[in-house]
Amino acid sequence: MIVPELAGSAAGELDDLRLACTEAVTRLLATGPDVVLVLGGGERTVRHGPADGGSLRPYGLDRVLRLGPGDEPTDGIELPLSVLIGAWLLDRAGVVTPRRGQSVDTDAPVDECRRIGAELVGDPAERVALLVLGDGSACRGERSPGYADPRAEPYDDRVATALRTADGPALLGLDPELSARLRVAGRAPWQVLAAAVASSATAWHGDLSYYAAPYGVSYFVANWTPTGSAGPSGPDERAGEPA
């Protein structure tokens, strides 16, 4: 729904969401990263390179996207929808910064998310900005994909608070079983983000710019930016951007 050509007559209803995403990407780039790493959920856990891509054709739009910038054809691993939308957001913003990707099994255990997050920021010589894609619950009302569940709104409120306050431990505390029951696509990517932040030895500031549940699915846009460092690398060592 975030891609206007796919939203059709409802495209205008999500203009605020698209604007928040554009602003988040702009703030991400303002940190001056060496690479943007797009992180999202998928059917399996895979590292992605710039040649990996995919098509929006299954969703009704004849458009092929590549993770890396440029018009070269895709000739690598097919991207899951979450990472594909991340590439679309970066293309839409005219981003030319080198890109990599990481898809995470949406059912990945918390310990696996911790391991992946620590590995993503393992190179102290590289400044990595994370663009994290993950929906909240899909059970916010009778017309939602998962029907109405009274646990959905409190769950989403907890996520919104964690994103607003850059509270990584709160994200790591999300229950995988409840998340699955509420059809949350973002639990595993959020926990990878939290683990990456915990490994950075940096203090973080959070800013939540969008939180709503159009069509019964919760969407969040937030920026996490470093405020200082407890380690030898100095301030602004890493930048995290969940969207």
Side-chain angles (χ1 to χ4, degrees), residues 38 72 74 150 202:
V38 183
E72 296 88 348
T74 62
T202 301

Side-chain angles (χ1 to χ4, degrees), residues 1-4 6-18 135-149 152 156 182-183 210-219:
M1 294 297 292
I2 196 173
V3 179
L6 291 175
S9 61
E13 298 176 21
L14 295 181
D15 281 346
D16 289 348
L17 173 59
R18 293 187 196 94
D135 296 346
S137 72
C139 300
R140 294 290 295 271
E142 295 181 357
R143 296 185 178 181
S144 66
Y147 199 65
D149 190 312
D156 290 330
L182 297 177
R183 302 181 67 167
Y210 183 93
Y211 169 35
Y215 313 110
V217 179
S218 291
Y219 297 122

